[in-house]
Amino acid sequence: MKCFLLTLFFVAVLGRAPVLHEDGKEVIKNEFIVKFNPETTDDAVIKHMTRLPHQMEVFKKYNFGKFKGYAVKTNRSNIELLRDDVSVQLIEANQVVRAYADCTMQREATWGIVRTTMEELKLTGDYSYSMDASGADVTAYVVDTGIYLEHRDFEGRALWGYDAVDDPSPKTDLNGHGTHVAGTIMSKTYGLAKYAEVVAVRVLNAGGFGSTAGVIAGIEWTAKDYTQKKKKSVANMSLGGGLSTSMNSAVAEAVTAGVIYVVAAGNEGQDACNVSPASEPTAITAACSDNKDTMCYFSNYGKCVDIIAPGMAITSTWNDGLDSDNTISGTSMSAPHVAGVIAKYLSESSGNPTAAEVSEWLTKMATKNKITEIPAAGSATPNDLLFMDCT
């Protein structure tokens, strides 16, 4: 390698070639565009190409007019080897490019879903989304009180999955909480991912209570169901309790299996690292904001939070009638906003991103430093507000 460096690369008199756009929102990992200086001869290009390290996989070559270069798959450290070659003008991170899709507009939408599409606080009532990012072919597991499947706003896209509480199962939501969560994820009127399907995983009873044992059983079911079907999936758990190593471990195992887990930070106004499943690092933990971009007074906070999302006075579907709704507050309402955005992202993704990749994408896309009144004790809370525009 040292001989290669001496023979091919040497320090450019005018400085090293820059590496551009590595902070782009949709960078393709370990792919780069290398552009030669306009005066570089064809012979110089051939010499450069024949001496590239074998770890560099060239998959496109360009040579028209004064534009000469290539696209390469390699790790970031290898790119450093190219920067001192005087024939290289610049290196650029490869990025996703897509057709400009027409945006579908929903008028008089609930404030929470509107806020996810606005970088500035402009609650116009207009929610815009691309049909390419509508949640189609994505499953959202709602690990909660069940779902009232017959609600008209679900348009037949709500399915029953598993019941860890009752046998025989009522196969419905006797509380309302899970129906509300599902509605925010995918319902026609109140939802973000309007073509996703939801699957009810009932782990809480009519009073909204359950146990660690039951929740773990529900998590296990989602992992096994995903493994069997291999369909792009996100799971939402708007629930919590005391710190549980077993529950956190179960979430981590489901994430390893391929299910992206979104969990509520909790409503005790304390460090989210003190509760489960919010403290599980592989889960995406959502804290709560209101319609003035203030952190909800009850929201948990701290370094275990990954993202902040609308959760105060959220209107969504309910369980007491075919067209019923209810307006409630909590980090329980924040988590499904995140799950809905993830379902949108998964539906437009060509592959099946991992939970870590989705978390990184959420952080890149997030609107920065908009949330006020984050408690002093929660100074480690990332000031990242959920965002995905119509692209």
Side-chain angles (χ1 to χ4, degrees):
M1 181 62 74
K2 288 183 179 179
C3 291
F4 170 79
L5 290 173
L6 289 173
T7 57
L8 177 60
F9 299 111
F10 49 92
V11 177
V13 175
L14 298 179
R16 309 182 79 203
V19 183
L20 305 177
H21 309 307
E22 291 186 283
D23 58 349
K25 287 188 175 181
E26 291 193 86
V27 166
I28 300 174
K29 188 175 181 181
N30 291 334
E31 292 189 10
F32 300 88
I33 311 298
V34 180
K35 183 179 180 297
F36 293 112
N37 285 304
E39 65 275 12
T40 303
T41 65
D42 288 346
D43 286 342
V45 170
I46 293 171
K47 186 176 181 180
H48 172 102
M49 300 300 292
T50 57
R51 296 184 179 180
L52 288 177
H54 65 87
Q55 301 97 327
M56 295 186 179
E57 178 188 346
V58 176
F59 62 97
K60 297 289 183 185
K61 295 180 181 180
Y62 316 111
N63 190 346
F64 60 101
K66 293 185 177 181
F67 193 105
K68 299 174 183 178
Y70 58 94
V72 61
K73 296 180 181 180
T74 189
N75 60 45
R76 183 60 175 79
S77 60
N78 281 337
I79 288 298
E80 286 298 310
L81 303 179
L82 306 179
R83 296 185 65 194
D84 293 329
D85 186 344
V86 291
S87 68
V88 175
Q89 182 183 36
L90 62 87
I91 302 166
E92 177 176 328
N94 198 15
Q95 302 182 62
V96 173
V97 178
R98 56 172 54 89
Y100 284 119
D102 291 336
C103 292
T104 300
M105 182 69 73
Q106 177 186 351
R107 305 289 185 184
E108 298 182 0
T110 56
W111 81 265
I113 67 174
V114 173
R115 188 68 186 95
T116 67
T117 64
M118 301 286 184
E119 291 187 290
E120 300 299 327
L121 184 59
K122 296 178 182 178
L123 300 179
T124 61
D126 295 338
Y127 171 62
S128 61
Y129 60 95
S130 166
M131 290 302 295
D132 292 333
S134 60
D137 298 319
V138 175
T139 295
Y141 298 105
V142 176
V143 185
D144 211 289
T145 61
I147 300 174
Y148 174 45
L149 306 180
E150 293 78 15
H151 200 292
R152 272 195 276 254
D153 226 55
F154 293 147
E155 303 178 306
R157 290 176 289 110
L159 309 173
W160 194 262
Y162 172 74
D163 194 331
V165 180
D166 292 316
D167 186 15
S169 171
K171 294 190 176 181
T172 193
D173 180 3
L174 302 178
N175 177 279
H177 189 271
T179 301
H180 194 282
V181 166
T184 299
I185 295 172
M186 49 61 77
S187 69
K188 176 182 177 181
T189 303
Y190 309 104
L192 286 133
K194 297 184 183 296
Y195 288 84
E197 70 173 18
V198 286
V199 176
V201 181
R202 186 170 180 253
V203 298
L204 305 177
N205 63 19
F209 296 95
S211 70
T212 301
V215 171
I216 292 173
I219 296 168
E220 177 188 28
W221 188 88
T222 66
K224 289 182 175 179
D225 190 65
Y226 170 82
T227 300
Q228 179 183 5
K229 296 175 180 176
K230 290 296 183 183
K231 188 175 180 181
K232 292 181 181 181
S233 300
V234 59
N236 188 98
M237 285 208 298
S238 290
L239 53 79
L243 194 63
S244 169
T245 302
S246 296
M247 185 188 296
N248 285 6
S249 180
V251 171
E253 196 63 32
V255 170
T256 298
V259 185
I260 299 163
Y261 257 81
V262 180
V263 302
N267 301 334
E268 300 84 28
Q270 63 164 321
D271 192 331
C273 294
N274 294 335
V275 298
S276 289
S279 54
E280 170 49 42
T282 63
I284 297 170
T285 299
C288 176
S289 63
D290 66 16
N291 62 2
K292 295 181 180 179
D293 282 356
T294 301
M295 193 163 188
C296 300
Y297 68 90
F298 51 75
S299 180
N300 287 355
Y301 47 74
K303 66 181 182 181
C304 287
V305 168
D306 295 290
I307 195 85
I308 301 173
M312 178 71 80
I314 303 299
T315 302
S316 186
T317 48
W318 202 244
N319 70 329
D320 58 359
L322 294 175
D323 300 297
S324 58
D325 62 44
N326 197 8
T327 302
I328 55 178
S329 302
T331 58
S332 282
M333 287 61 256
S334 302
H337 280 85
V338 179
V341 165
I342 291 173
K344 290 168 62 177
Y345 176 62
L346 291 176
S347 68
E348 73 170 4
S349 298
S350 57
N352 194 2
T354 66
E357 289 168 339
V358 170
S359 183
E360 181 180 358
W361 174 83
L362 284 171
T363 300
K364 279 188 175 182
M365 291 294 293
T367 306
K368 306 295 183 182
N369 301 317
K370 293 293 184 182
I371 304 303
T372 62
E373 298 187 24
I374 296 175
S379 59
T381 308
N383 198 329
D384 290 342
L385 180 61
L386 181 68
F387 176 75
M388 181 181 183
D389 60 359
C390 178
T391 55

